[in-house]
Amino acid sequence: MNNYERTAIIEQYLDGELQGGDLEKFELQALTDKELKQDLFLQSEIRKVLADKEAFELRVKLNTIHNNYQKEKKNVRKKKPVLTYTFITLSILIVVFVFFIFDSKLSNDELYEKYYKHYSSETITQSSELSTDNNYINALRIYERKQYNDAINLFDKIPENSPFYNSKEYYSGLSYMELQNYEEAIKHFNIVIKSKNNLFIENAIWYSALCYLKIDKTQLAIEYFKKLLNEDSTFKKEAGEIIEEIEDGSKK
Amino acid sequence: MYSDKEILKGLKTGDNSVLEYLYSKYRDPIIDFVVKNSGSEEEAIDVLQDSVINIYRKILKEDLVLYKDFNSYFSTAYRNNWRAVLKIKNQRIFTDEFPEDLIFEEFDYYNEYEFNRHQSYTTKQLKELGVDCQQVIEQYYLQNKTMNEIAYLMNYGNAQIAKNKRYRCVEYLKELLKNHINF
């Protein structure tokens, strides 16, 4: 009996599908066949731990919180001694003050804050009322409740062959933006952009550009904003303003 | 900052912000405690998780009584949990922060320990499977969907194909769990 066959017969036994002679044969074999016995234990344990459904789901949430914490920890800068920190802060303030007098260019962060707007899923949710994909609808609801980690977990469950695949990649990107994980957001937006056949491409380009701005990849941000300068684009005006702001600033 | 009532309510509903609050408040003290008492940071995170889960189970059974405040209760709970783990692992206890007359043991931790470990490993290894396997397993074992429903939702041809997929996914999960030294 190979691994798959062993798994299948054990599942049939645990589901109560074995009867009569087959059942007797299995139970006898489980007493003597070491591998079968071990796998029976494992598969029973899997069912037991998953049957504790609420605790299992709570563990998933706790794992996600822990993983996010680990990621954020890597980005925390080391604290400097107070005096050195104070000196550096004062120096920066003086430099910024001097620059402010001569140069009112907005920083990338300031541009991001000025132009970023949270994208609501309300209109999309209404059009998806007939959807049978519970994960997608539930994920959108959770996204609207600003529980972005949970939304991402649900979006991750939607397979590639789902009709909501591009939508869920778009909203995953937005969720990561809200969590300030801009690199991850860009990965999801790029999937939407590459698919070329969905409603979210323009938005994905816009938000990717904002993400690049936020992580100071200014050239890439400009490239993406330039893609939105065609006549039909909703973001044409804002994209033009941002490009102008960046290019004026770099000429000074 | 949450009141004790808000914490218990948040735990009962699995409120993410309450869970994040508990994690951020107790992570460092638990790591500090466990590491000073022969443990690792990874084991400390397990203790934190198991302590939260154990309290959650008590809340669901409506069996939880706070004699003092939540902080005292939880601090006792995680200390007791780690004490039980060390006894199970037969390790020496090195610090006197860990007196033998530690307050009442509310949980039957010894029996729950193995189950919690298995559940923890299964949760982590499930995430290592492909998205479709995770979905099939969760739909069948967590959501109790029938094979016909799963076949429809996952666009498999029929229930038997869905069943074969499920068997394959359980096989993969089993192999991952077998490779985990403590399962």
Side-chain angles (χ1 to χ4, degrees):
Chain A
M1 210 190 287
N2 63 33
N3 276 345
Y4 176 79
E5 286 163 349
R6 214 165 30 247
T7 305
I9 191 92
I10 291 170
E11 285 296 300
Q12 286 166 40
Y13 169 72
L14 292 172
D15 283 336
E17 289 173 5
L18 294 182
Q19 285 171 24
D22 287 340
L23 178 60
E24 276 177 36
K25 186 181 165 192
F26 176 86
E27 286 176 338
L28 202 61
Q29 217 174 337
L31 290 172
T32 53
D33 183 332
K34 191 181 167 190
E35 271 183 325
L36 187 66
K37 200 172 167 182
Q38 185 189 26
D39 281 9
L40 176 59
F41 168 76
L42 265 175
Q43 284 172 237
S44 303
E45 278 299 287
I46 289 171
R47 285 181 182 231
K48 253 196 254 171
V49 301
L50 293 178
D52 187 16
K53 178 185 166 189
E54 288 85 5
F56 178 84
E57 288 172 348
L58 194 63
R59 266 192 209 281
V60 170
K61 287 183 184 181
L62 290 168
N63 278 342
T64 305
I65 290 169
H66 173 66
N67 291 339
N68 286 340
Y69 183 90
Q70 296 289 88
K71 277 182 203 163
E72 279 177 38
K73 205 172 138 189
K74 282 181 190 169
N75 297 332
V76 169
R77 290 179 184 168
K78 289 180 186 171
K79 286 181 185 171
K80 294 188 183 285
V82 173
L83 277 177
T84 313
Y85 189 70
T86 311
F87 175 74
I88 291 170
T89 309
L90 280 173
S91 306
I92 290 169
L93 281 172
I94 291 166
V95 168
V96 166
F97 180 71
V98 169
F99 264 86
F100 183 74
I101 296 173
F102 299 103
D103 181 9
S104 59
K105 167 185 173 290
L106 289 175
S107 68
N108 284 355
D109 275 350
E110 284 166 334
L111 281 171
Y112 180 92
E113 294 308 320
K114 184 177 171 184
Y115 286 96
Y116 173 73
K117 285 182 182 56
H118 171 79
Y119 186 93
S120 172
S121 73
E122 278 177 24
T123 52
I124 303 296
T125 310
Q126 284 162 14
S127 68
S128 303
E129 276 170 9
L130 298 176
S131 161
T132 57
D133 196 319
N134 289 335
N135 279 339
Y136 180 68
I137 298 300
N138 288 337
L140 286 182
R141 287 187 183 128
I142 291 170
Y143 168 86
E144 279 306 309
R145 291 203 294 263
K146 300 186 179 168
Q147 292 168 343
Y148 299 113
N149 284 315
D150 287 345
I152 286 167
N153 285 337
L154 268 180
F155 283 133
D156 280 349
K157 291 177 184 176
I158 295 168
E160 221 172 299
N161 58 1
S162 164
F164 304 104
Y165 182 72
N166 285 320
S167 312
K168 76 98 174 176
E169 285 297 321
Y170 173 65
Y171 282 104
S172 295
L174 292 174
S175 300
Y176 277 113
M177 278 184 90
E178 294 289 347
L179 293 171
Q180 297 177 31
N181 188 342
Y182 302 105
E183 283 93 348
E184 195 62 35
I186 287 167
K187 283 181 199 169
H188 289 272
F189 289 138
N190 279 340
I191 291 172
V192 176
I193 293 166
K194 277 179 191 162
S195 82
K196 292 185 184 170
N197 187 23
N198 64 81
L199 299 170
F200 297 103
I201 290 179
E202 200 175 80
N203 288 41
I205 294 172
W206 169 252
Y207 283 110
S208 293
L210 286 176
C211 286
Y212 281 124
L213 208 58
K214 188 69 176 169
I215 59 175
D216 288 326
K217 290 192 177 171
T218 314
Q219 276 311 119
L220 272 170
I222 292 174
E223 271 176 42
Y224 273 68
F225 283 127
K226 280 184 176 172
K227 291 179 204 246
L228 298 167
L229 294 181
N230 65 69
E231 283 301 319
D232 297 331
S233 170
T234 320
F235 300 102
K236 181 182 172 185
K237 180 173 173 277
E238 287 92 344
E241 284 171 3
I242 293 175
I243 293 170
E244 202 178 306
E245 180 72 42
I246 295 171
E247 288 179 343
D248 279 352
S250 64
K251 281 173 193 166
K252 287 177 183 169
Chain B
M1 191 67 183
Y2 292 93
S3 67
D4 288 356
K5 197 174 168 187
E6 284 166 336
I7 289 172
L8 294 180
K9 187 180 171 191
L11 273 175
K12 190 172 182 179
T13 57
D15 185 326
N16 238 50
S17 44
V18 168
L19 294 176
E20 283 174 5
Y21 167 74
L22 290 176
Y23 183 88
S24 62
K25 181 171 179 177
Y26 290 104
R27 182 187 181 275
D28 289 343
I30 293 177
I31 288 175
D32 189 55
F33 178 76
V34 166
V35 165
K36 277 182 185 162
N37 288 283
S38 319
S40 67
E41 192 171 311
E42 198 184 328
E43 286 171 317
I45 300 301
D46 286 342
V47 165
L48 191 162
Q49 253 201 31
D50 288 352
S51 301
V52 171
I53 300 283
N54 288 344
I55 289 175
Y56 170 75
R57 288 191 183 118
K58 282 205 152 262
I59 292 171
L60 285 189
K61 283 189 209 166
E62 292 175 9
D63 209 13
L64 184 74
V65 176
L66 291 186
Y67 292 103
K68 292 184 181 178
D69 52 33
F70 181 84
N71 183 55
S72 308
Y73 187 90
F74 193 73
S75 300
T76 307
Y78 76 69
R79 284 173 162 81
N80 277 340
N81 281 353
W82 182 240
R83 180 189 184 197
V85 171
L86 287 181
K87 283 192 175 177
I88 290 167
K89 288 164 73 173
N90 280 326
Q91 287 196 1
R92 269 191 72 194
I93 296 158
F94 290 113
T95 138
D96 31 336
E97 264 194 83
F98 212 24
E100 281 298 314
D101 61 348
L102 199 55
I103 313 164
F104 51 84
E105 296 210 16
E106 270 209 17
F107 307 120
D108 187 5
Y109 192 78
Y110 300 99
N111 287 332
E112 283 184 340
Y113 173 74
E114 207 173 65
F115 183 82
N116 279 339
R117 293 295 89 241
H118 289 173
Q119 193 176 59
S120 177
Y121 304 143
T122 306
T123 313
K124 287 174 189 164
Q125 299 310 320
L126 194 54
K127 289 293 168 198
E128 299 299 315
L129 297 178
V131 170
D132 52 349
C133 267
Q134 288 180 45
Q135 277 199 287
V136 168
I137 286 177
E138 284 174 18
Q139 283 171 2
Y140 186 77
Y141 298 104
L142 279 168
Q143 297 170 26
N144 297 316
K145 287 196 163 65
T146 64
M147 294 319 303
N148 277 320
E149 286 171 327
I150 294 172
Y152 172 73
L153 286 167
M154 304 286 299
N155 286 327
Y156 295 137
N158 54 52
Q160 188 56 51
I161 294 174
K163 200 180 259 192
N164 293 343
K165 178 69 178 180
R166 188 187 109 214
Y167 293 161
R168 192 61 76 184
C169 293
V170 170
E171 186 195 350
Y172 295 152
L173 179 60
K174 231 176 17 173
E175 291 310 306
L176 288 173
L177 291 171
K178 276 180 190 174
N179 288 335
H180 200 295
I181 195 166
N182 287 323
F183 202 99

